[in-house]
């Protein structure tokens, strides 16, 4: 049997303890604390998040069954429901907020080279755009001022300079607008975007709109994976602490995925970590890849009930 580090310890090994201690010192997290440090609190809440515990009582019961492994998980003292509740209520939530922000900064650098889907030769600071149906409603009529030729093979339908002519619209916004209509080559859906940016290539507003959906899917993914079904405390401090710790756990897994070049999805990693945090595995096998999973044998020596 392999006797290496616990999966949970391997995951937490990607955290910077020095950075965490600085966050604790910044908000006097050690004040009047003799046992069950802020680090202990953070690790317990990390465990609760990874294993989808539903209450602090649930966290206590689960960790007590693993009492002999607490030290190897990095937790330096016994865990009780009341101690954990008191830590969440009284210790400044900004410790965990600041630490989560440092992890976000690390993740941002790791993912900086990932393809955004749009090559921009300039920075787009304010893309004031609204997506509308291809046929504008009667109360949003417009007048076309200019329409240059476009490459329809790219999905573009038109690139128009327009002015709104509806009573309310013309009064509230009298400037010229750009209307880019396009067809999604994959789905065939036709959409139009209104923008006040006339400098970008005609196809870029359409591409930026598609990227917007990727951002929305990202936040949907976060909401799905944070798994905060119930709050462990009722005070503002306890709720904020839980949310920021949940964010930091999710970002940490994203960091590990990038650092170890894991092909498995974040969802797959989360499912694995929810079941095996206190298992001992070799470091290169703990954060498995889809391609590394064992294959089921083609023939299984099992009786057929209906033979």
């Amino acid at each position: 049997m392999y006797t290496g580090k616990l999966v949970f310890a391997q995951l937490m090994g990607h955290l910077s303890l020095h950075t965490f201690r600085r966050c604790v010192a910044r908000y006097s997290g050690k004040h009047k604390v003799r046992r069950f440090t802020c680090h202990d609190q953070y690790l317990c809440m990390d465990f609760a998040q990874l294993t989808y515990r539903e209450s602090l009582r649930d966290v206590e019961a689960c960790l007590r069954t693993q009492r002999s492994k607490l030290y190897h998980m990095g937790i330096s003292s016994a865990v009780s429901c009341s101690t954990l509740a008191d830590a969440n209520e009284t210790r400044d939530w900004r410790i965990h907020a600041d630490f989560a922000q440092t992890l976000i900064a690390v993740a941002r650098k790791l993912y900086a080279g990932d393809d955004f889907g749009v090559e921009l030769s300039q920075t787009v600071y304010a893309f004031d755009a609204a997506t509308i149906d291809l046929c504008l409603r009667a109360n949003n009529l417009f007048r076309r001022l200019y329409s240059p030729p476009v490459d329809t093979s790219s999905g573009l339908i038109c690139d128009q300079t327009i002015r709104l002519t509806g009573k309310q619209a013309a009064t509230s916004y009298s400037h010229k607008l750009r209307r880019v209509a396009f067809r999604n080559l994959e789905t065939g859906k036709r959409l139009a975007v209104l923008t006040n940016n006339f400098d970008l290539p005609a196809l870029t507003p359409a591409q930026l709109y598609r990227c917007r959906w990727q951002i929305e899917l990202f936040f949907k993914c976060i909401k799905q994976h944070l798994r905060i079904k119930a709050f462990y405390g009722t005070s503002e401090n306890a709720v904020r602490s839980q949310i920021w710790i949940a964010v930091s756990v999710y970002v940490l897994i994203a960091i590990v995925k990038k650092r170890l070049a894991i092909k498995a999805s974040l969802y797959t990693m989360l499912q694995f970590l929810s079941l095996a945090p206190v298992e001992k595995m070799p470091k290169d096998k703990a954060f498995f890849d889809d391609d590394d999973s064992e294959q089921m044998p083609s023939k299984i020596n099992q009786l057929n009930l209906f033979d």
Side-chain angles (χ1 to χ4, degrees):
M1 178 181 292
Y2 183 77
T3 57
K5 282 189 174 183
L6 301 177
V7 171
F8 182 82
Q10 291 184 43
L11 179 65
M12 295 302 119
H14 286 266
L15 296 172
S16 169
L17 283 178
H18 174 70
T19 302
F20 185 82
R21 292 189 185 107
R22 285 198 306 173
C23 294
V24 172
R26 187 176 301 139
Y27 300 105
S28 304
K30 288 185 177 181
H31 183 62
K32 295 184 178 179
V33 174
R34 295 182 180 179
R35 301 173 59 187
F36 199 73
T37 65
C38 289
H39 188 239
D40 290 335
Q41 174 200 5
Y42 179 78
L43 293 180
C44 289
M45 293 293 287
D46 276 6
F47 179 84
Q49 176 63 32
L50 286 170
T51 57
Y52 307 142
R53 299 299 98 191
E54 296 183 354
S55 66
L56 292 182
R57 187 72 62 189
D58 190 13
V59 177
E60 177 190 26
C62 192
L63 287 176
R64 283 196 173 187
T65 63
Q66 305 294 334
R67 190 175 304 169
S68 62
K69 298 180 179 179
L70 290 182
Y71 175 79
H72 302 285
M73 293 172 66
I75 302 173
S76 60
S77 61
V79 181
S80 69
C81 177
S82 58
T83 302
L84 186 54
D86 181 67
N88 290 341
E89 293 283 338
T90 59
R91 295 177 189 174
D92 201 318
W93 62 271
R94 292 177 294 177
I95 294 171
H96 309 295
D98 283 13
F99 189 57
Q101 291 294 340
T102 64
L103 291 175
I104 290 171
V106 172
R108 183 179 289 116
K109 291 180 181 178
L110 290 173
Y111 286 86
D114 283 20
D115 183 20
F116 180 61
V118 183
E119 291 294 333
L120 296 174
S121 59
Q122 58 177 295
T123 303
V124 181
Y125 289 102
F127 184 67
D128 298 327
T131 305
I132 54 177
D133 294 332
L134 191 59
C135 299
L136 290 172
R137 296 180 180 180
N139 60 350
N140 283 325
L141 296 177
F142 66 92
R143 179 167 57 92
R144 180 172 62 87
L145 303 177
Y146 176 68
S147 184
V150 296
D151 179 11
T152 56
S153 64
S154 65
L156 284 171
I157 298 173
C158 65
D159 179 15
Q160 301 173 333
T161 300
I162 68 169
R163 193 184 299 276
L164 299 178
T165 57
K167 291 182 179 179
Q168 294 183 352
T171 303
S172 59
Y173 194 87
S174 59
H175 302 286
K176 295 177 183 179
L177 282 171
R178 187 182 189 185
R179 179 178 179 269
V180 178
F182 60 97
R183 182 181 68 258
N184 189 318
L185 297 177
E186 297 176 359
T187 65
K189 187 175 182 180
R190 292 151 63 94
L191 294 169
V193 169
L194 291 182
T195 176
N196 60 2
N197 193 319
F198 289 86
D199 298 323
L200 296 173
L203 191 59
T204 302
Q207 292 174 324
L208 286 172
Y209 171 72
R210 294 188 65 183
C211 291
R212 191 194 77 176
W213 286 109
Q214 295 301 317
I215 294 171
E216 290 188 6
L217 289 174
F218 170 74
F219 283 108
K220 181 180 179 181
C221 185
I222 287 181
K223 288 171 65 178
Q224 209 171 28
H225 290 155
L226 289 187
R227 294 289 182 92
I228 302 178
K229 293 184 177 180
F231 289 111
Y232 300 147
T234 56
S235 71
E236 179 181 354
N237 194 83
V239 170
R240 286 178 179 267
S241 294
Q242 183 179 346
I243 291 174
W244 279 111
I245 290 173
V247 169
S248 69
V249 171
Y250 181 80
V251 176
L252 172 61
I253 295 172
I255 290 172
V256 171
K257 174 178 169 61
K258 180 63 73 171
R259 281 179 176 172
L260 302 184
I262 297 174
K263 295 180 181 178
S265 67
L266 287 171
Y267 174 81
T268 301
M269 291 179 66
L270 285 163
Q271 295 305 310
F272 169 73
L273 290 167
S274 70
L275 295 173
V278 293
E279 298 295 329
K280 292 183 178 180
M281 294 185 184
K283 188 172 184 179
D284 59 342
K285 294 295 183 184
F287 302 107
F288 69 94
D289 202 285
D290 283 340
D291 297 334
D292 296 331
S293 57
E294 295 184 1
Q295 300 293 325
M296 292 292 292
S298 57
K299 294 184 180 180
I300 301 177
N301 186 17
Q302 183 175 351
L303 295 175
N304 192 328
L305 181 62
F306 299 103
D307 273 354

